[in-house]
Every structure is written in structure tokens, then in C-alpha cells.
Amino acid sequence: MYICTLLTSPQNPSLEPALVESLRNAWGGGDAIWLAPDEVAEFALAEIPVNLLGRLGGSAKNVCRSDRSCLLWGVARRCCWLIWTAQ
């Protein structure tokens, strides 16, 4: 299981609900949970979306650690997204 977290600057919160819902739907995620209005939201993913890397090309970064936790991250439309391994 993975968690996708979307966040934006707290000084200029601009995370649009439509963007969160669009990504959640495209990636087959669970219900979106808002951690801070217009600033941070997250949703669960059963697996890394197959259309993620192809759609983003080289803009996605990948960090995997020895404890088998992984993190993918990137920047799109004034927000940063993270996909990380839920333990």
C-alpha cells in the first residue's frame, strides 16, 4: 500500500480540490483526506500508478531506502506530490 500526499506552500495555499480529485480518480486512489484546507491532502493507493512515470516523463524522482520504503516525488501545477510506502 502507498500513500499519495499533495502539498503546496502554506504561505500561498493553492491546492485545488479539482486537482486532488482528478489525480485520485486517474490513479485509482481511495478517498481524499484533507490535512489542511487548500494546502495538504492525501489518499491511499494499492500500487504505484502505471501511468505515472510515462505521463510525467523525467520529472518524477525516485528514492528507495534499504528498509524497503520508497518515495516518488515531483512538482506539477504549483504543488508537490509524494507517493510513499505505508508501513
Side-chain angles (χ1 to χ4, degrees), residues 19-71:
L19 173 63
V20 174
E21 290 303 309
S22 176
L23 283 174
R24 185 189 67 78
N25 289 337
W27 293 349
D31 293 337
I33 299 168
W34 285 89
L35 305 176
D38 300 325
E39 190 177 332
V40 183
E42 67 181 21
F43 52 85
L45 296 167
E47 57 190 34
I48 298 290
V50 295
N51 64 349
L52 173 67
L53 297 177
R55 182 175 170 185
L56 297 171
S59 68
K61 308 296 182 213
N62 184 356
V63 177
C64 290
R65 300 188 310 239
S66 60
D67 66 358
R68 295 183 156 195
S69 64
C70 290
L71 170 70

Side-chain angles (χ1 to χ4, degrees), residues 9 14 36 43 45 75:
S9 169
S14 59
F43 52 85
L45 296 167
V75 178

Side-chain angles (χ1 to χ4, degrees), residues 1-21:
M1 177 181 197
Y2 299 90
I3 302 295
C4 177
T5 304
L6 301 162
L7 57 137
T8 186
S9 169
Q11 287 79 27
N12 185 21
S14 59
L15 187 58
E16 300 167 1
L19 173 63
V20 174
E21 290 303 309

